[in-house]
Amino acid sequence: QKWDEALAVLKRLASIAPRSSGLRQNLLKIFRAKNVANPTIESLIKHSGLEGGPDIAKAVKLLETYLMFTPGAYVEHPTGWGVGIVSDVDLENAFVTIDFREQKAHQLTMDFAHSITKPLWIEHLKAMKYDRIEELRSISETDQVRLVKIAVLSRGERVTTVRDLRDALTDGIIPVKDWSKWWTKTRAKVKRDNNIKIGAGNNPIVEVTIRERSFEEMSATQLLGLPDLTIKIGFLRDLFRDLDAHP
């Protein structure tokens, strides 16, 4: 977790001060530490340009994208092919093969795949509908609050309406005829959950509120509030010293 927090802060620095001393080296250190079990990490780093490319922020974005192209990862092509799962990666030639529902074994260059797809985390509603629809149906019966959270968080902005929630969950998970009964029962449970808020009205807002602020969020806020670049760099130097001292 400490690497995720430090990485988020360094990515902000890359966007505002890409020539900062030690920035590239610290980013490489973090990516290698986070992916120590990934045998392809060095090839991905090389292909991204993070070791020596002129645009550090772009290299970081490419590397994070390439890391999403691992066998078993979910992606979405929003304008046509829909959800797919990565089935194979050819690092030497920078190709990725994706099984979309209607376009199996579709081979793309990693750069092109990066430009036309977006990653889906493993519990994104669309990813689960792709190959775990029965699991979703089971959750709808045994853990309704979890299903609501999955659906709302899959919206990206962590907020939706009851009508949109209904449309998402009656698309293959809950029969339309059972929705009213299911939602009446689930709504009572949702109201008791401290991380979900339901608004008023005929089509209320449903919002998932997330945890206390993380170390990364607090550090990023502190960083952006510092008055000049020299002080920002000093802040990051101290941050990394603390991370190394307290793994």
Side-chain angles (χ1 to χ4, degrees):
Q1 184 179 1
K2 73 167 186 175
W3 298 123
D4 292 331
E5 294 165 347
L7 179 59
V9 174
L10 280 185
K11 284 163 61 180
R12 289 179 182 267
L13 183 63
S15 67
I16 61 175
R19 296 184 181 181
S20 299
S21 175
L23 176 60
R24 189 187 301 273
Q25 290 73 20
N26 280 321
L27 283 166
L28 287 167
K29 174 183 177 181
I30 289 174
F31 277 111
R32 285 173 173 140
K34 278 171 56 66
N35 298 279
V36 66
N38 185 341
T40 68
I41 185 60
E42 292 302 324
S43 295
L44 295 177
I45 286 174
K46 180 180 179 181
H47 188 68
S48 72
L50 184 56
E51 281 187 313
D55 190 333
I56 293 179
K58 179 181 178 181
V60 168
K61 183 177 180 180
L62 283 174
L63 181 54
E64 289 187 317
T65 301
Y66 296 157
L67 284 166
M68 86 182 188
F69 294 129
T70 57
Y74 297 89
V75 298
E76 181 185 20
H77 179 247
T79 59
W81 298 320
V83 176
I85 189 167
V86 176
S87 59
D88 188 53
V89 177
D90 178 356
L91 291 174
E92 292 302 318
N93 298 299
F95 276 95
V96 59
T97 302
I98 303 173
D99 286 334
F100 295 101
R101 191 176 299 280
E102 305 298 332
Q103 190 84 5
K104 302 294 185 183
H106 195 55
Q107 192 176 67
L108 305 163
T109 66
M110 294 184 82
D111 285 341
F112 187 53
H114 161 248
S115 69
I116 66 168
T117 66
K118 63 180 183 179
L120 299 176
W121 80 91
I122 193 169
E123 282 206 351
H124 192 288
L125 190 66
K126 291 180 179 180
M128 296 187 74
K129 281 184 176 181
Y130 178 83
D131 61 357
R132 286 164 290 155
I133 190 69
E134 289 302 326
E135 181 180 348
L136 286 171
R137 290 169 181 160
S138 176
I139 294 171
S140 75
E141 297 175 358
T142 61
D143 195 348
Q144 295 88 354
V145 173
R146 179 186 170 199
L147 183 60
V148 170
K149 288 180 178 179
I150 289 172
V152 176
L153 290 173
S154 296
R155 300 280 296 184
E157 59 273 17
R158 304 202 305 265
V159 62
T160 188
T161 65
V162 169
R163 188 172 297 130
D164 287 340
L165 181 67
R166 178 201 63 196
D167 292 345
L169 296 183
T170 56
D171 179 21
I173 303 172
I174 300 167
V176 175
K177 65 182 180 62
D178 295 337
W179 168 257
S180 294
K181 181 179 179 181
W182 185 90
W183 177 241
T184 298
K185 177 181 177 182
T186 299
R187 180 176 181 137
K189 294 181 179 180
V190 165
K191 284 186 173 182
R192 295 194 294 270
D193 191 291
N194 292 331
N195 292 321
I196 305 180
K197 296 179 181 179
I198 300 181
N202 294 328
N203 186 30
I205 294 292
V206 181
E207 180 180 5
V208 175
T209 57
I210 306 296
R211 79 263 186 290
E212 297 178 358
R213 296 175 73 204
S214 68
F215 170 79
E216 174 269 315
E217 290 170 326
M218 291 187 289
S219 296
T221 299
Q222 288 178 280
L223 176 69
L224 293 176
L226 295 174
D228 59 51
L229 181 58
T230 301
I231 297 176
K232 284 182 169 70
I233 293 172
F235 171 83
L236 287 167
R237 189 179 297 115
D238 291 341
L239 174 67
F240 270 90
R241 187 181 300 117
D242 290 343
L243 288 170
D244 285 334
H246 305 285

